[in-house]
């Protein structure tokens, strides 16, 4: 946990030129030691969410490990990753299962993803009623995309 905190501190320190790289290294050390939150954060960096982009394969592995450990946001991010690329039916089904798990863990964005899966019949049977209900749950959780999709 200390390595993760050091990584987060370095990534937050924009005034130090080498700080971002050190932050990524500390996060990677924590991730390799089994810290699920560090694995999730490292994977986010690998998806280009930050200015630092570590090796994508390693970030994907960390994301898979964090999701397997039950990290809700990691499951959501992995579901998005599986649906972002040209995925086959198996990956789409896995993305739906991951999104459902993330939604059950209180991630409102996952409800939007579930609704989109139901609306487009990607990863789950198409069901406009279930799509609408998922958007309602997302909006009830404060998600702006869920609110927008209801209007």
């Amino acid at each position: 946990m200390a390595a993760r905190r050091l990584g987060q501190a370095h990534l937050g320190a924009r005034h130090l030129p080498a700080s971002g790289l050190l932050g990524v290294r500390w996060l990677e050390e924590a991730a390799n030691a089994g810290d699920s939150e560090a694995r999730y954060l490292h994977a986010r960096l690998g998806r280009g969410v930050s200015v630092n982009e570590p090796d994508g394969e390693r970030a994907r592995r960390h994301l898979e490990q964090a999701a397997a450990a039950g990290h809700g946001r990691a499951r959501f991010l992995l579901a998005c990753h599986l649906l972002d690329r040209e995925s086959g039916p198996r990956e789409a089904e896995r993305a739906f299962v991951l999104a459902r798990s993330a939604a059950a863990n209180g991630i409102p964005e996952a409800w939007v993803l579930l609704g989109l899966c139901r609306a487009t019949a990607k990863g789950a049977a198409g069901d406009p009623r279930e799509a609408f209900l998922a958007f309602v749950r997302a909006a009830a959780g404060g998600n702006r995309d869920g609110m927008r999709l209801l209007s």
Side-chain angles (χ1 to χ4, degrees), residues 16-60:
L16 300 173
S19 198
L21 182 57
L22 287 172
V24 170
R25 287 183 181 157
W26 279 111
L27 277 180
E28 187 173 356
E29 182 178 315
N32 289 334
D35 184 325
S36 292
E37 180 69 13
R39 286 175 172 163
Y40 163 71
L41 292 170
H42 187 257
R44 281 190 57 199
L45 292 171
R47 282 185 51 93
V49 174
S50 178
V51 293
N52 302 302
E53 293 191 22
D55 176 45
E57 257 325 291
R58 202 170 328 136
R60 169 72 187 261

Side-chain angles (χ1 to χ4, degrees), residues 8-143:
Q8 289 174 300
H10 278 284
L11 289 171
R14 301 283 184 226
H15 59 283
L16 300 173
S19 198
L21 182 57
L22 287 172
V24 170
R25 287 183 181 157
W26 279 111
L27 277 180
E28 187 173 356
E29 182 178 315
N32 289 334
D35 184 325
S36 292
E37 180 69 13
R39 286 175 172 163
Y40 163 71
L41 292 170
H42 187 257
R44 281 190 57 199
L45 292 171
R47 282 185 51 93
V49 174
S50 178
V51 293
N52 302 302
E53 293 191 22
D55 176 45
E57 257 325 291
R58 202 170 328 136
R60 169 72 187 261
R61 182 173 32 92
H62 285 159
L63 185 60
E64 292 273 2
Q65 291 167 336
H71 193 285
R73 289 222 170 264
R75 287 180 176 185
F76 171 71
L77 190 60
L78 184 56
C80 290
H81 177 74
L82 290 171
L83 290 172
D84 276 351
R85 58 189 182 160
E86 292 298 318
S87 57
R90 278 194 146 154
E91 286 186 318
E93 288 171 11
R94 182 168 179 234
F96 183 79
V97 170
L98 287 165
R100 191 172 49 211
S101 173
N105 282 300
I107 312 296
E109 299 93 326
W111 286 108
V112 173
L113 192 57
L114 289 171
L116 292 173
C117 286
R118 289 291 192 181
T120 61
K122 187 168 184 178
D127 187 336
R129 183 179 180 281
E130 287 295 320
F132 175 77
L133 292 174
F135 297 145
V136 168
R137 297 218 39 195
N143 183 273

